[in-house]
Amino acid sequence: MEHATHEHPYIGCTIKELPEELQHAAASRAIELNPANAPAGHTPGEALPGRLVLLTGKRWPPAGKRLTVDFLDGVAADLRTRILFHMNAWGSWCNVRFTWSTDHPQVRITRAPGGGYWSNLGTDILHVDASKPTMNLDSFSMTTRDSEFYRVVRHETGHTLGFPHEHLRKEIIDRIDTAKAITYFQRTQGWSRDKVISNVLTPLNQSALVETQQPDPLSIMCYALPGSIMKDGVGVPGGTDIDQNDAQFAGEVYPGATWPTSIWPNGKAYFFKGGQYIRYDARADKADPGYPAPIAGHWPGFPPEYEAGVDALVVWNLNQAYFFKGAQYIRYSIQFDRVDHDFPRTIAGNWPGLFPDGIDAGVVWPSGKAYFFRGAQYIRYDIANDKADPGYPKPIAGNWPGFPPSFQNHIDSAVVWNNTKAYFFSGDQYIRYDITADATDAGYPAPIAANWSGLFASDIDA
Ligand SMILES: [Zn+2]
C-alpha cells in the first residue's frame, strides 16, 4: 500500500472521542449494555474509577444490533445504497444490520471534504448530540474507487460496531520507528505530533479492547504502514476487506449472521455428490477431516431416495434449507437439525413459476431473490412474494456476465459465500462471481481441485 500514499491521497482514520465531560457516563453505560466492556481492575456493580474510563470497551450487547443510518448532508439514493451495502457486509459474519431511516438515526454520516475518515466507537454514538455526525466519509461519491468503499466504509463501520484499531496492537507498534512515524504522518496526514502518538503509537491496553490472539496485519481494522517507518523495513499491508480473522472475531462478539448465505450458522457449507456429502469449513477454507461421508445416517429424516443423492441444496435463511430431487423437495430445519414434517412435497403447486422438476442448482442472493438453474436456463424467484418473477425462465447466456460457455449450458451447484461473492460450479471447474459488480471475476474459470481443499473435484450435485 505504500505506493498509494504517493499516487493517491491515502487518508488515515481516527477514532472520534466524545467530549471529555461525557466520557465517564459513556463508559459506564457501555459496561451496563455489555459487561464484557469492563476493563481489568473494575469491580462489577461499583462505580467506574476515572482512570479506567479510556480502557473501557464500547461493544454493543452480544445479542447483536440493528442500527438506523442517515446522511446529514443529504445523499443520492445510489450512493446511499452503496454505502449501506458495504456497512452491511459485516452482517455476513455477525448479528448486525444497518437500515436507512430519517427518524432519529443512530448512525449519522457526513461526507465533509477535508474532514478525514472517522467514526465514534461503538456505544459512544449514543452520546453524540443528535444534530452531529457519528461518522465522516471524506468526499465519498459514486466516483470514489470501489476499493475505497471496501477499505474505508467497512473499516469505519467496524468502529461503529466497537472494534478498535488493529495496528495499535503492541506487537505492531513495537516495530514502528517513532521519529520516522511522526514525520511521516505529519507530512501525509497533517497530524500534530500528539495526534500521531495517540493514533498510531499508543498500544491498546491489554484490557477489554483485546481482540484475537495474534495481531492480524491484514485486518480491515489495521492501517497500512509503509516499510519506511518500520524498524525492520517491512511494511504492514493493512486491511482491504473484512478478512477471516475479522469475520471470526465479529462472529464471536455478535454471534449469528444476518444476511443469507450458503454458509450454515455453524460456519460450514455442505456439498453433495451421489450418496456422499462434504462439510466445508468456510473460514478455514478447506473440507473438515473425515469427509466425504455417506448421506445415509447423517441427515435425520432424509427419505431413502434423498440419501442416494440430491439435485440441489438451497440455504433459504438461517433456519431453513431446501433439498430438491426430481419433481419433489424437502425442507430441512437447521435449528432442529432434521427434515420438517410433511415432506417431501411436489415442487409443482408449492413454488409458483419454478421449474417443476430437474433443478440443477439454486442459491439465495443478498438482494432477496433466489436463482434456480436448469440446463441452459434460470429463474429468478422473489422470496418476499414467494413466486417466480415475471419473464422467466431466461437463458443463462447473455444474462450472467462472464459465464464461460460450459457454464451457460449447465450449472452443477451455486453458493453465496458472503454478500459480495458467489461461486458457481460446473464439471471440474468453478467461477467466482462478484455480486456487487454483477460480473464474473477475472481469472476464472479455475479448477476445483486446485482451489477447494478436500472438496469433490468434479460433477458436484448440490
Ligand atoms: Zn479507524
Side-chain angles (χ1 to χ4, degrees):
M1 288 293 289
E2 188 180 2
H3 65 277
T5 60
H6 302 292
E7 294 172 6
H8 310 286
Y10 176 91
I11 303 177
C13 160
T14 53
I15 294 178
K16 185 88 154 184
E17 290 192 349
L18 292 170
E20 203 166 334
E21 64 273 18
L22 297 178
Q23 290 180 3
H24 189 276
S28 301
R29 177 95 175 105
I31 296 170
E32 272 176 45
L33 289 168
N34 184 344
N37 285 323
H42 173 62
T43 310
E46 290 189 4
L48 182 69
R51 66 188 160 79
L52 296 181
V53 165
L54 292 178
L55 305 180
T56 302
K58 299 293 169 61
R59 295 177 196 161
W60 299 95
K65 198 61 193 169
R66 304 290 176 271
L67 289 167
T68 52
V69 180
D70 197 17
F71 295 78
L72 295 188
D73 43 15
V75 68
D78 54 355
L79 181 59
R80 180 181 72 218
T81 301
R82 195 164 174 192
I83 290 172
L84 276 160
F85 174 85
H86 286 279
M87 296 179 78
N88 277 313
W90 286 98
S92 295
W93 310 103
C94 65
N95 192 357
V96 298
R97 183 172 282 217
F98 298 91
T99 51
W100 176 52
S101 172
T102 55
D103 181 26
H104 299 90
Q106 295 157 300
V107 180
R108 297 178 295 277
I109 300 175
T110 48
R111 292 175 289 128
Y117 301 144
W118 56 259
S119 169
N120 289 95
L121 189 63
T123 55
D124 271 358
I125 69 171
L126 301 173
H127 302 264
V128 177
D129 187 280
S131 67
K132 295 208 165 80
T134 68
M135 182 188 292
N136 194 58
L137 301 172
D138 191 332
S139 306
F140 257 68
S141 72
M142 288 302 285
T143 61
T144 301
R145 280 180 302 150
D146 198 42
S147 59
E148 289 292 89
F149 281 85
Y150 282 82
R151 185 181 75 83
V152 177
V153 176
R154 295 176 183 212
H155 174 102
E156 297 308 332
T157 303
H159 288 324
T160 300
L161 295 176
F163 304 152
H165 276 140
E166 182 73 9
H167 61 265
L168 296 185
R169 297 288 290 260
K170 187 171 184 305
E171 297 90 333
I172 292 177
I173 288 179
D174 284 349
R175 292 174 44 212
I176 300 177
D177 183 309
T178 304
K180 287 179 181 169
I182 290 171
T183 307
Y184 171 81
F185 284 102
Q186 284 178 332
R187 176 171 58 80
T188 60
Q189 304 297 317
W191 291 347
S192 69
R193 184 176 186 284
D194 284 350
K195 193 162 183 179
V196 179
I197 290 171
S198 68
N199 279 352
V200 184
L201 298 171
T202 306
L204 292 173
N205 190 278
Q206 306 296 312
S207 67
L209 303 182
V210 169
E211 304 195 7
T212 46
Q213 287 286 316
Q214 295 295 320
D216 173 14
L218 295 176
S219 165
I220 187 65
M221 302 315 294
C222 187
Y223 275 11
L225 301 173
S228 62
I229 68 167
M230 308 301 286
K231 291 173 189 166
D232 54 14
V234 178
V236 175
T240 54
D241 193 2
I242 298 163
D243 75 357
Q244 285 188 5
N245 287 323
D246 297 324
Q248 182 168 354
F249 172 70
E252 287 165 7
V253 175
Y254 308 116
T258 50
W259 284 99
T261 74
S262 305
I263 299 166
W264 294 45
N266 61 359
K268 315 287 186 180
Y270 295 89
F271 293 91
F272 291 76
K273 179 176 178 175
Q276 295 189 307
Y277 76 104
I278 285 174
R279 193 177 75 194
Y280 197 90
D281 189 305
R283 286 172 187 143
D285 196 21
K286 61 182 180 188
D288 280 332
Y291 292 88
I295 301 172
H298 289 100
W299 290 84
F302 260 45
E305 66 270 27
Y306 286 72
E307 292 183 331
V310 297
D311 292 343
L313 156 62
V314 188
V315 181
W316 206 245
N317 54 44
L318 291 171
N319 291 319
Q320 292 167 331
Y322 290 102
F323 290 89
F324 292 84
K325 169 111 183 175
Q328 298 190 317
Y329 72 102
I330 54 177
R331 192 177 71 205
Y332 198 84
S333 166
I334 293 172
Q335 184 183 358
F336 297 111
D337 195 23
R338 60 162 296 118
V339 176
D340 281 331
H341 294 297
D342 302 326
F343 289 90
R345 296 181 189 173
T346 57
I347 300 171
N350 290 296
W351 292 82
L354 187 56
F355 303 114
D357 57 23
I359 291 169
D360 291 329
V363 67
V364 172
W365 223 239
S367 60
K369 307 285 187 179
Y371 292 94
F372 291 91
F373 297 81
R374 186 176 77 175
Q377 294 189 310
Y378 76 104
I379 285 173
R380 193 177 73 194
Y381 197 89
D382 188 283
I383 293 172
N385 289 319
D386 196 20
K387 62 180 182 185
D389 280 333
Y392 291 86
K394 290 183 179 178
I396 299 171
N399 289 302
W400 289 84
F403 266 40
S406 57
F407 286 67
Q408 292 174 358
N409 287 325
H410 183 84
I411 299 292
D412 288 335
S413 181
V415 290
V416 162
W417 218 239
N418 51 50
N419 75 336
T420 307
K421 301 291 183 185
Y423 296 96
F424 292 87
F425 299 84
S426 184
D428 60 1
Q429 299 198 301
Y430 78 104
I431 54 176
R432 192 177 74 195
Y433 198 84
D434 190 293
I435 294 171
T436 327
D438 196 22
T440 304
D441 279 334
Y444 294 90
I448 299 170
N451 296 287
W452 291 78
S453 179
L455 187 56
F456 302 114
S458 67
D459 303 322
I460 296 169
D461 287 334

